C-alpha cells in the first residue's frame, strides 16, 4: 500500500463532531430544559443515555472526553465574547492550550485533532458568538451590528426606523464613541457658550454617542454616520427616552459626526426639594419631566439648525392638533391625544389611518378624510400603557392593535361599534407583544412576542412567534434568547422583503435578521440520530466479528 | 463460557454509574442561571398589591399620624420615583436621614449618577460627580408639613378616603392601609420645580397611606398617576415613600465623611 499517497484526514470526524456538539447543545439540549424544565432534563438524560450506549465500549473514554472537551471549550470561548480584543485573543489561546494539555494526558487523544477542533470552535465563535446561534434556527443574520454601549447610560441601543425619500427606510441608532484626550480637546473647543456647557461636555467623556444609520443597498447593509436629511425626519424622543426624565440630552455636530450626550437634569438642591415635598411628587415630577422634554426638543432644534435642515417629521401632535403632510396633502385635525403611535389600516383593509394615544385613550383618524373615525377608552383596572404595537394577524388587510398592559391584550378596532378585545393573555402572564409581520408571500402573519418558558417558573421571557386563530395564540417557533429588546419588523424598501431589527439588552450589539424556512433543528437532530445509529451499527458489527471468531 | 463474554457484575455496575453520571452532567448543561428580566424596562403598570376589602373611612387617622410625625426629631426617608414610558422606566431613588428643621444628609441615585446633599443650618453642600460644591439651602427640611398641607386640602374638599383590608407589613410593623383617589386639580397647584410649566394632562392620582398599628406613625405613602407629556407621550408616574427609624438614635445625623474629607483637603 502506498502510504505516502494516502492523506490521513482522521481528524475530520473530530472537527465535525466538535461543532455538532455545540450546535446540539444550543439548538436541542438548552431549549428542552428552558421550555420543559424537569421533563426537559429527563428527556436530555434519556438522550444522553442512548448516545452513551451507542458508543463502542473500547472508544468510550476517548470519545466522551472529546465530547466534553468540545462542549466546555465552546462555552469558555463564548464567555469571552465581549472582552477587549487583545484580552479576548489571549484568553482564547490560553484556554485552548490548557484544555488540550489536560485532555491529552487524561485520554491520550492525539494533539492534531484537538488543535484543529479548537481552531474550528474559535473560528465559529468569531463568525458568530455561540450565544447568538439561537437565532440561526429561524433567522439568517443579515447584519450583525456592533455599536458599543456603556450600560451605565441606557440599557439597550434604540432601534429607530426613519422613512427617507422614495419609500425607503433607514435604521438609526447610537454608537458609543471611544474618545481619547485629544478628542476631548476638540469637544471642549466646540462646546457652547452657556454656563453649563463646558461642564456637561467634560463630565460625559466616554459616555458620548455617535448617531449612526444603517441602510440597505440591495440586501447589503452598511453602517455609517447619520445623514442630516435623514435625521430631520426623526422623532428625537426615540433618542432621548432612554434617559428620560432624569437626564437632559444634548446634541452637537463635529466634523460631520453627530454626537449625543447627556447631563443630569437636576442639581442635588433640586432633588432635595423634590424629596422634601413627597406629597407633591406626582405634580412636581410631571412638571420637571415636561421641562426636560421641552429642553430636549430645543436642543434637537438647535442641532438641526446648525446642520441647515428643517424638521420634517411627518405627522405630529402639538397644541391639541394633528398636523403635517401625508401623501401630498396636508392634515390639520383637532385631537385629544398626545402621541402618534403608528399608521395602518385599523378599521378595515386599505383604510389609511393613524393611531394616536392620549391618557388611557386611543384614537383613530382617517388620513384620507382628516376626521376622527373612532376612539377607545381604557379601563381603570387594566389601563392602556403607552407600549402599543400594531400589525396584521391574518390576511384580511386589517391591522390589529397589541397593547402591552398587565396582562397584555389584543384590540380589533371598529368604525361602527365598540372595539373588540379579541385576545387577553392569562392574568399573571408577562407576555409582551413586539409586533407582527408577514415573512414571505403566501404565509400567515407571525406575531412576535417575548413570552416566558412553558414550564419553567421564571419571569425570563424568550423570543417567540405565534399565530392567531379563533381567539387563541398558537406557537410557531421559539428562539431561546432572553435579552431581545426593541424589536421591529421593517421593510427597508417598498418592494423588498420584511426584516426584523432588534437590539440586545445590556449589550452594544444589534441584528438585522431575515427569516428563513430551513428546518435547522430537524436537520441537527437527524445528524445526531445518524451518529447514534452509526455507533450502534459499529457495536453490532464488532459483536458479530467477536462471535464469529469464538471457536464453537 | 469464554472469558470475554462474561462481564463481571462490578464492571457492569461501574459502567452504569458512569452512564448515569455522564448523562446527568450533559443534562445539567441546560440548567444555567437564566438572565433576569431587564431592570429599567418593564411593562408592569401600577401597584400589583391586591386588597380584599375596602370600606369608607375618614382622614382623621392620617391627620393624627401627621401630627405625630411633625413632633418627631429625627427619622430616615427612603423614596423611589418612577416615570414609565412604553417599556422604558426612568426615575430616581432617595435614601437619607432627616433631622428637622434644618439638618439633612441624603444620597440619591439617578441614571448612573449618585448625587448627595448635606445641610446643617444654612450651610448646604451637594455633589453629583464626586466633587462637593456649596449649594443653596433648603428651608424647612421635613416631609411632614408636605403631608399636613395635603391632608388639609383633602379634608377641605371632602375627598373620600377608604380603608383597605388586610393590613400590610412595612419595614418593621403592621400598618392600616388607606386609599384615596385625588382629582388632579387639587395637587397641581404651584409645583416647586419650574413655575413656567404646569402639569396640564394628568389623570386622577391614587394615594395609598400606610399607618402603623403600634404607634399610629405614618410609615409609607405611594402615589400612582397617568399623564401625557408633549413630545414624549403617555407616561405613568409612581412614587413610593417609606419613613422609618423614627425618633431612633440611628437617625441622628453626623457629617457625611466624603464631604468632610473633601472640605478638609481643599487647601
Amino acid at each position: 500500500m502506498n502510504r505516502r499517497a494516502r492523506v490521513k484526514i482522521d481528524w475530520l470526524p473530530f472537527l465535525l463532531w466538535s461543532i455538532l456538539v455545540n450546535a446540539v447543545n444550543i439548538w436541542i439540549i438548552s431549549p428542552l430544559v428552558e421550555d420543559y424544565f424537569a421533563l426537559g432534563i429527563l428527556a436530555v438524560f434519556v438522550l444522553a443515555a442512548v448516545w452513551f450506549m451507542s458508543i463502542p465500549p473500547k472508544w468510550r473514554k476517548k470519545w466522551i472526553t472529546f465530547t466534553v472537551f468540545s462542549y466546555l471549550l465552546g462555552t469558555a470561548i463564548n464567555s469571552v465574547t465581549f472582552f477587549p480584543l487583545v484580552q479576548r485573543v489571549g484568553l482564547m489561546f490560553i484556554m485552548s492550550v490548557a484544555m488540550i494539555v489536560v485532555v491529552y494526558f487524561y485520554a491520550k487523544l492525539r494533539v492534531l485533532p484537538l488543535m484543529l477542533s479548537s481552531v474550528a470552535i474559535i473560528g465559529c465563535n468569531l463568525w458568530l458568538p455561540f450565544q447568538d446561534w439561537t437565532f440561526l434556527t429561524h433567522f439568517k443574520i443579515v447584519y450583525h451590528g456592533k455599536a458599543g454601549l456603556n450600560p451605565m447610560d441606557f440599557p439597550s441601543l434604540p432601534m429607530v426606523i426613519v422613512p427617507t425619500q422614495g419609500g425607503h427606510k433607514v435604521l438609526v441608532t447610537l454608537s458609543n464613541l471611544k474618545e481619547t484626550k485629544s478628542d476631548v480637546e476638540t469637544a471642549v473647543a466646540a462646546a457652547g457658550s452657556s454656563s453649563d456647557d463646558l461642564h456637561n461636555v467634560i463630565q460625559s467623556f466616554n459616555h458620548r454617542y455617535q448617531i449612526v444609520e444603517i441602510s440597505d443597498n440591495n440586501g447589503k447593509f452598511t453602517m455609517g454616520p447619520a445623514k442630516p436629511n435623514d435625521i430631520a425626519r426623526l422623532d428625537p424622543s426615540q433618542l432621548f427616552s432612554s434617559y428620560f426624565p432624569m437626564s437632559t440630552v444634548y446634541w452637537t455636530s463635529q466634523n460631520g459626526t453627530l454626537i449625543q450626550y447627556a447631563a443630569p437634569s437636576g442639581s442635588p438642591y433640586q432633588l432635595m426639594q423634590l424629596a422634601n415635598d413627597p406629597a407633591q411628587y406626582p405634580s412636581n415630577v410631571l412638571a420637571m419631566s415636561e421641562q426636560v422634554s421641552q429642553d430636549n426638543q430645543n436642543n434637537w432644534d438647535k442641532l438641526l439648525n446648525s446642520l441647515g435642515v428643517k424638521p420634517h417629521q411627518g405627522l405630529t401632535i402639538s397644541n391639541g392638533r394633528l398636523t403635517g403632510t401625508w401623501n401630498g396633502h396636508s392634515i390639520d385635525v383637532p385631537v385629544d391625544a398626545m402621541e402618534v403611535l403608528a399608521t395602518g389600516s385599523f378599521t378595515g383593509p386599505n383604510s389609511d389611518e393613524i393611531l394616536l394615544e392620549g391618557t388611557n385613550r386611543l384614537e383613530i383618524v382617517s388620513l384620507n378624510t382628516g376626521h376622527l373615525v373612532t376612539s377607545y377608552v381604557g379601563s381603570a383596572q387594566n389601563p392602556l400603557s403607552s407600549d402599543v404595537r400594531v400589525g396584521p394577524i391574518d390576511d384580511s388587510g386589517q391591522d390589529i392593535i397589541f397593547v402591552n398592559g398587565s396582562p397584555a391584550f389584543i384590540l380589533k378596532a371598529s368604525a361602527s361599534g365598540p372595539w373588540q378585545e379579541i385576545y387577553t393573555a392569562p392574568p399573571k402572564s408577562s407576555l409582551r407583544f413586539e409586533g407582527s409581520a408577514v415573512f414571505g408571500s403566501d404565509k400567515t402573519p407571525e406575531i412576535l412576542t417575548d413570552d416566558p418558558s412553558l414550564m419553567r417558573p421564571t419571569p425570563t421571557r424568550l423570543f417567540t412567534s405565534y399565530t392567531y386563530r379563533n381567539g387563541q395564540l398558537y406557537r410557531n417557533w421559539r428562539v431561546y434568547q432572553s435579552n431581545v429588546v426593541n424589536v421591529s419588523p421593517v421593510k427597508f424598501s417598498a418592494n423588498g422583503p420584511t426584516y426584523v431589527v432588534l437590539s440586545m439588552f445590556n449589550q452594544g450589539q444589534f441584528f438585522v435578521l431575515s427569516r428563513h424556512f430551513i428546518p435547522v433543528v430537524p436537520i441537527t437532530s437527524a445528524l445526531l440520530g445518524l451518529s447514534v445509529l452509526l455507533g450502534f451499527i459499529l457495536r453490532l458489527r464488532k459483536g458479530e466479528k467477536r462471535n464469529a471468531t469464538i471457536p464453537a | 463460557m469464554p472469558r470475554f463474554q462474561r462481564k463481571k457484575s462490578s464492571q457492569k455496575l461501574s459502567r452504569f454509574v458512569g452512564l448515569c453520571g455522564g448523562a446527568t452532567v450533559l443534562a445539567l448543561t441546560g440548567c444555567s442561571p437564566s438572565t433576569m428580566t431587564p431592570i429599567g424596562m418593564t411593562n408592569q403598570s401600577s401597584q400589583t398589591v391586591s386588597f380584599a376589602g375596602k370600606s369608607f373611612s375618614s382622614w382623621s387617622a392620617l391627620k393624627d399620624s401627621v401630627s405625630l410625625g411633625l413632633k418627631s426629631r429625627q427619622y430616615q426617608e427612603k423614596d423611589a420615583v418612577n416615570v414609565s414610558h412604553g417599556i422604558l422606566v426612568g426615575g430616581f431613588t432617595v435614601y437619607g436621614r432627616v433631622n428637622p428643621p434644618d439638618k439633612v444628609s441624603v444620597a440619591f441615585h439617578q441614571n448612573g449618577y449618585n448625587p448627595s446633599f448635606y445641610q446643617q443650618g444654612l450651610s448646604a453642600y451637594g455633589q453629583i460627580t464626586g466633587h462637593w460644591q456649596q449649594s443653596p439651602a433648603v428651608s424647612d427640611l421635613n416631609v411632614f408639613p408636605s403631608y399636613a398641607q395635603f391632608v388639609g386640602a383633602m379634608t377641605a374638599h371632602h375627598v373620600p378616603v377608604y380603608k383597605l383590608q388586610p393590613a400590610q407589613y412595612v419595614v418593621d410593623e403592621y400598618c392600616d392601609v388607606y386609599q384615596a383617589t385625588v382629582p388632579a386639580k387639587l395637587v397641581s397647584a404651584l409645583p416647586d420645580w419650574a413655575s413656567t410649566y404646569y402639569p396640564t394632562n394628568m389623570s386622577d392620582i391614587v394615594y395609598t397611606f400606610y399607618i402603623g398599628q403600634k404607634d399610629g406613625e405614618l410609615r409609607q405613602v405611594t402615589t400612582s398617576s397617568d399623564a401625557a407629556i408633549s413630545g414624549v407621550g403617555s407616561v405613568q408616574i409612581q412614587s413610593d415613600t417609606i419613613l422609618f427609624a423614627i425618633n431612633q438614635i440611628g437617625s441622628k445625623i453626623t457629617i457625611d465623611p466624603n464631604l468632610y474629607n473633601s472640605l478638609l483637603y481643599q487647601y
Side-chain angles (χ1 to χ4, degrees):
Chain A
M1 195 177 301
N2 192 350
R3 276 232 168 140
R4 258 178 298 164
R6 260 180 79 192
V7 178
K8 272 190 155 180
I9 50 160
D10 52 357
W11 46 262
L12 190 61
F14 286 92
L15 190 147
L16 295 174
W17 180 250
S18 69
I19 300 176
L20 185 64
V21 163
N22 283 293
V24 163
N25 176 45
I26 297 163
W27 293 335
I28 299 175
I29 295 183
S30 293
L32 274 175
V33 176
E34 282 275 10
D35 243 349
Y36 297 101
F37 198 35
L39 283 183
I41 296 175
L42 191 64
V44 173
F45 191 94
V46 167
L47 187 71
V50 167
W51 170 72
F52 191 93
M53 287 192 298
S54 77
I55 310 169
K58 236 182 15 175
W59 301 349
R60 268 188 197 152
K61 181 175 178 181
K62 292 197 177 192
W63 198 239
I64 291 176
T65 310
F66 181 72
T67 305
V68 173
F69 161 81
S70 307
Y71 164 71
L72 287 177
L73 187 65
T75 313
I77 301 287
N78 179 50
S79 70
V80 297
T81 307
F82 294 111
F83 282 50
L85 187 64
V86 173
Q87 274 184 36
R88 186 178 175 193
V89 169
L91 281 167
M92 289 201 291
F93 182 73
I94 293 171
M95 286 190 290
S96 312
V97 167
M99 289 196 66
I100 291 174
V101 165
V102 167
V103 168
Y104 176 73
F105 283 110
Y106 176 71
K108 308 283 185 293
L109 282 163
R110 285 176 29 252
V111 176
L112 184 66
L114 291 174
M115 258 177 35
L116 290 173
S117 305
S118 305
V119 168
I121 290 175
I122 291 175
C124 284
N125 233 276
L126 287 174
W127 166 67
L128 182 69
F130 281 139
Q131 65 197 21
D132 299 324
W133 275 42
T134 48
F135 287 115
L136 297 177
T137 52
H138 294 90
F139 289 98
K140 180 173 157 221
I141 295 181
V142 173
Y143 186 78
H144 183 183
K146 297 173 187 128
L149 167 71
N150 190 329
M152 297 274 285
D153 295 321
F154 42 86
S156 63
L157 296 172
M159 298 274 99
V160 185
I161 312 287
V162 179
T164 61
Q165 278 144 339
H168 289 272
K169 298 202 171 92
V170 292
L171 174 68
V172 172
T173 186
L174 298 168
S175 177
N176 191 210
L177 278 174
K178 289 275 175 286
E179 294 178 299
T180 59
K181 284 289 180 337
S182 65
D183 293 321
V184 180
E185 290 288 340
T186 320
V188 162
S193 50
S194 74
S195 60
D196 287 328
D197 283 345
L198 182 62
H199 176 257
N200 289 342
V201 165
I202 295 177
Q203 58 88 36
S204 59
F205 179 65
N206 267 338
H207 294 268
R208 286 146 62 87
Y209 291 82
Q210 180 185 9
I211 307 179
V212 292
E213 71 177 49
I214 294 94
S215 48
D216 171 22
N217 297 313
N218 290 328
K220 190 166 177 321
F221 287 84
T222 48
M223 179 158 84
K227 302 194 190 73
N229 280 328
D230 292 337
I231 62 153
R233 293 163 181 267
L234 195 73
D235 172 10
S237 74
Q238 292 179 293
L239 292 179
F240 71 63
S241 54
S242 317
Y243 303 93
F244 190 75
M246 300 312 296
S247 294
T248 304
V249 182
Y250 301 87
W251 291 275
T252 159
S253 169
Q254 277 172 223
N255 301 331
T257 307
L258 299 174
I259 297 178
Q260 167 174 321
Y261 59 97
S265 300
S267 62
Y269 168 69
Q270 286 165 319
L271 288 172
M272 192 64 234
Q273 283 187 304
L274 286 175
N276 201 42
D277 194 8
Q280 301 284 56
Y281 268 139
S283 53
N284 283 342
V285 170
L286 178 56
M288 177 188 79
S289 306
E290 286 192 347
Q291 168 96 67
V292 170
S293 177
Q294 193 62 52
D295 290 344
N296 288 338
Q297 300 282 343
N298 291 342
N299 291 338
W300 181 254
D301 291 339
K302 252 195 266 178
L303 173 75
L304 292 184
N305 259 347
S306 75
L307 294 171
V309 291
K310 283 199 150 35
H312 188 92
Q313 274 178 46
L315 294 159
T316 54
I317 300 178
S318 57
N319 298 328
R321 300 190 79 85
L322 173 72
T323 52
T325 49
W326 178 79
N327 241 13
H329 62 233
S330 63
I331 308 262
D332 189 349
V333 183
V335 290
D336 254 334
M338 292 286 276
E339 184 180 7
V340 172
L341 290 178
T343 53
S345 307
F346 302 104
T347 56
N350 300 325
S351 60
D352 304 307
E353 288 156 342
I354 188 165
L355 181 68
L356 312 169
E357 182 163 11
T359 313
N360 210 15
R361 180 189 184 83
L362 289 172
E363 292 184 332
I364 294 179
V365 171
S366 165
L367 292 169
N368 289 319
T369 65
H371 290 131
L372 179 71
V373 177
T374 173
S375 63
Y376 173 85
V377 177
S379 71
Q381 292 83 25
N382 190 5
L384 290 173
S385 72
S386 48
D387 193 4
V388 171
R389 302 295 166 112
V390 301
I393 53 167
D394 53 27
D395 52 6
S396 67
Q398 184 177 4
D399 286 319
I400 297 296
I401 299 161
F402 305 98
V403 181
N404 289 315
S406 23
F409 56 96
I410 305 182
L411 280 176
K412 189 169 179 173
S414 161
S416 53
W419 296 20
Q420 288 170 282
E421 198 172 301
I422 58 175
Y423 175 80
T424 312
K428 292 277 194 275
S429 155
S430 57
L431 168 73
R432 189 166 177 277
F433 292 108
E434 298 278 15
S436 74
V438 178
F439 299 108
S441 51
D442 304 335
K443 304 254 185 233
T444 21
E446 295 187 24
I447 303 175
L448 302 172
T449 70
D450 299 312
D451 199 17
S453 154
L454 206 57
M455 288 177 65
R456 198 168 166 188
T458 61
T460 315
R461 294 185 289 205
L462 302 165
F463 190 45
T464 316
S465 158
Y466 289 98
T467 299
Y468 176 84
R469 269 199 308 273
N470 300 327
Q472 287 299 319
L473 293 179
Y474 296 92
R475 198 210 286 195
N476 294 325
W477 49 258
R478 172 166 278 179
V479 161
Y480 290 82
Q481 270 287 4
S482 57
N483 281 344
V484 165
V485 290
N486 297 335
V487 179
S488 294
V490 57
K491 278 170 112 104
F492 284 96
S493 53
N495 300 320
T498 304
Y499 296 94
V500 175
V501 303
L502 51 87
S503 60
M504 303 298 288
F505 179 75
N506 253 2
Q507 297 171 16
Q509 62 175 0
F510 63 93
F511 295 96
V512 179
L513 303 171
S514 148
R515 182 93 167 80
H516 72 67
F517 296 95
I518 304 169
V520 170
V521 176
I523 291 175
T524 314
S525 314
L527 285 172
L528 183 67
L530 268 172
S531 68
V532 166
L533 197 63
L534 191 67
F536 278 121
I537 290 174
L538 278 169
R539 281 195 74 182
L540 268 165
R541 276 181 50 195
K542 282 223 159 132
E544 280 168 9
K545 237 194 272 179
R546 196 164 47 187
N547 286 340
T549 58
I550 296 166
Chain B
M1 195 193 284
R3 57 191 158 95
F4 43 74
Q5 272 190 348
R6 189 180 45 200
K7 288 198 174 82
K8 295 204 191 95
S9 47
S10 64
Q11 266 189 0
K12 271 193 180 166
L13 180 65
S14 66
R15 280 216 183 136
F16 180 69
V17 168
L19 180 96
C20 288
T24 312
V25 164
L26 287 169
L28 287 174
T29 59
C31 297
S32 47
S34 53
T35 331
M36 290 308 294
T37 318
I39 305 163
M41 303 183 88
T42 175
N43 71 348
Q44 297 288 338
S45 49
S46 44
Q47 302 107 300
T48 45
V49 181
S50 53
F51 292 95
K54 184 170 170 170
S55 58
F56 194 70
S57 183
S58 79
W59 289 100
S60 55
L62 184 61
K63 223 174 178 174
D64 293 340
S65 73
V66 171
S67 308
L68 208 58
L70 284 167
K71 296 201 200 99
S72 56
R73 300 177 306 278
Q74 57 222 31
Y75 57 88
Q76 299 190 42
E77 179 185 3
K78 181 164 97 106
D79 301 352
V81 174
N82 287 322
V83 178
S84 315
H85 169 60
I87 197 182
L88 296 165
V89 179
F92 61 96
T93 60
V94 182
Y95 193 98
R97 289 169 289 169
V98 182
N99 291 174
D102 57 8
K103 244 180 142 176
V104 84
S105 178
V106 172
F108 304 94
H109 177 77
Q110 52 157 77
N111 278 359
Y113 289 91
N114 295 303
S116 313
F117 186 84
Y118 179 87
Q119 177 174 330
Q120 60 176 67
L122 288 173
S123 296
Y125 289 84
Q127 66 82 17
I128 288 190
T129 54
H131 174 62
W132 287 89
Q133 290 171 305
Q134 266 194 305
S135 163
V138 176
S139 55
D140 199 7
L141 283 167
N142 195 354
V143 302
F144 291 104
S146 170
Y147 290 119
Q149 194 188 32
F150 175 82
V151 175
M154 295 302 108
T155 44
H157 288 89
H158 307 292
V159 176
V161 62
Y162 299 88
K163 186 164 178 189
L164 303 178
Q165 297 292 349
Q168 297 292 318
Y169 196 78
V170 177
V171 184
D172 54 6
E173 65 171 329
Y174 277 97
C175 295
D176 291 325
V177 187
Y178 297 86
Q179 193 173 74
T181 303
V182 178
K185 62 183 191 317
L186 290 184
V187 290
S188 58
L190 294 176
D192 300 336
W193 188 262
S195 53
T196 339
Y197 293 98
Y198 279 75
T200 45
N201 249 333
M202 180 160 68
S203 71
D204 293 343
I205 306 135
V206 178
Y207 278 81
T208 312
F209 299 93
Y210 297 75
I211 298 173
Q213 287 177 336
K214 238 184 351 208
D215 43 17
E217 297 268 18
L218 180 62
R219 300 309 307 274
Q220 184 177 9
V221 183
T222 65
T223 70
S224 177
S225 55
D226 293 333
I229 298 175
S230 61
V232 172
S234 315
V235 296
Q236 284 87 46
I237 301 179
Q238 286 150 345
S239 78
D240 183 0
T241 306
I242 298 180
L243 303 163
F244 60 104
I246 302 174
N247 288 326
Q248 286 177 22
I249 198 74
S251 304
K252 197 127 186 66
I253 289 174
T254 52
I255 188 165
D256 187 323
N258 293 323
L259 172 61
Y260 177 82
N261 289 329
S262 170
L263 290 179
L264 194 62
Y265 296 129
Q266 260 183 7
Y267 300 100

